[in-house]
Amino acid sequence: MKISDYIFQKGNIVSIYGEAGTGKTIIGVHVALELGNSLYISTKDSSYKARVEKLKGRPDVYFTQAPTQPEMISAILKASQLGLQLIVIDPVNYLYKISRRKKDLELPLILCQGFSKNGINNNNKVLLLWDISGNNRVAGELFMRRFSDEVLRITKGEIIGNLRVCKFRILDSGVVGCL
């Protein structure tokens, strides 16, 4: 089974959360490349660029940085205008962790809901990656649960859902899974 099939098995808006270093970013990049016709939005920094350079890019996969809420909103709207079918936001809760302002998280999530309902057969997909804090909690967890069709947890080598697990391995050439 492809990782994207596993992730989107139970819905079109899926959240993945986990500790730093567990593979959230590389999984997000992998899903964008696997599905194509997608936009990967980094809200934090350009660390994804080194990972992307190691992987074979596709002409229908776009990458952008959106360190502010207006830039994130603009990127989501642009994905709709371009007719893309997948948005990955990594991490979606970065600005909220800093500001603790509800609007920094709620408005982008509302736009993501609208994006998922656009497209052919209301089948656009959104992958939201969430950082956890030092106390092992997701900043904005109530938003995560309210706006997601499914919430998955990632650990080193596993994406864990409700009564299901996808084991994966990160290689220099990309990600292999579900094993």
Side-chain angles (χ1 to χ4, degrees):
M1 172 186 286
K2 294 190 318 186
I3 290 178
S4 59
D5 290 340
Y6 174 85
I7 288 172
F8 293 110
Q9 189 174 17
K10 297 191 177 194
N12 290 337
I13 302 178
V14 176
S15 288
I16 296 179
Y17 71 95
E19 294 179 28
T22 54
K24 292 184 303 291
T25 297
I26 196 71
I27 291 294
V29 170
H30 176 80
V31 169
L33 292 170
E34 191 173 86
L35 292 179
N37 201 20
S38 57
L39 173 65
Y40 178 96
I41 302 168
S42 175
T43 62
K44 195 173 0 181
D45 56 34
S46 61
S47 64
Y48 72 91
K49 287 183 179 179
R51 293 175 178 112
V52 172
E53 288 173 16
K54 293 180 184 177
L55 304 171
K56 291 181 181 169
R58 292 179 46 162
D60 60 344
V61 178
Y62 304 93
F63 296 89
T64 191
Q65 277 184 256
T68 67
Q69 192 228 34
E71 289 173 302
M72 189 184 334
I73 289 168
S74 176
I76 295 166
L77 294 173
K78 188 71 146 177
S80 293
Q81 293 168 351
L82 292 173
L84 300 178
Q85 295 176 327
L86 169 70
I87 295 174
V88 178
I89 304 178
D90 179 19
V92 69
N93 61 339
Y94 180 69
L95 296 171
Y96 179 75
K97 281 173 56 176
I98 295 167
S99 72
R100 293 294 187 202
R101 289 189 314 237
K102 182 176 149 179
K103 70 176 185 168
D104 284 342
L105 193 50
E106 192 170 40
L107 185 53
L109 292 174
I110 289 169
L111 290 174
C112 286
Q113 270 187 332
F115 173 82
S116 76
K117 291 181 174 36
N118 289 333
I120 300 169
N121 299 323
N122 298 329
N123 203 26
N124 283 351
K125 298 187 179 342
V126 178
L127 178 57
L128 303 169
L129 304 175
W130 298 75
D131 280 346
I132 61 173
S133 303
N135 61 0
N136 255 358
R137 299 199 49 101
V138 175
E141 181 177 356
L142 294 176
F143 291 105
M144 177 180 74
R145 299 206 179 274
R146 182 172 136 214
F147 284 94
S148 301
D149 296 327
E150 182 169 37
V151 175
L152 305 171
R153 182 171 59 96
I154 190 169
T155 63
K156 288 199 180 220
E158 292 182 332
I159 304 170
I160 303 164
N162 189 18
L163 300 175
R164 60 194 185 103
V165 175
C166 168
K167 294 180 186 269
F168 66 90
R169 204 170 315 136
I170 299 172
L171 307 173
D172 288 340
S173 58
V175 180
V176 178
C178 294
L179 306 173

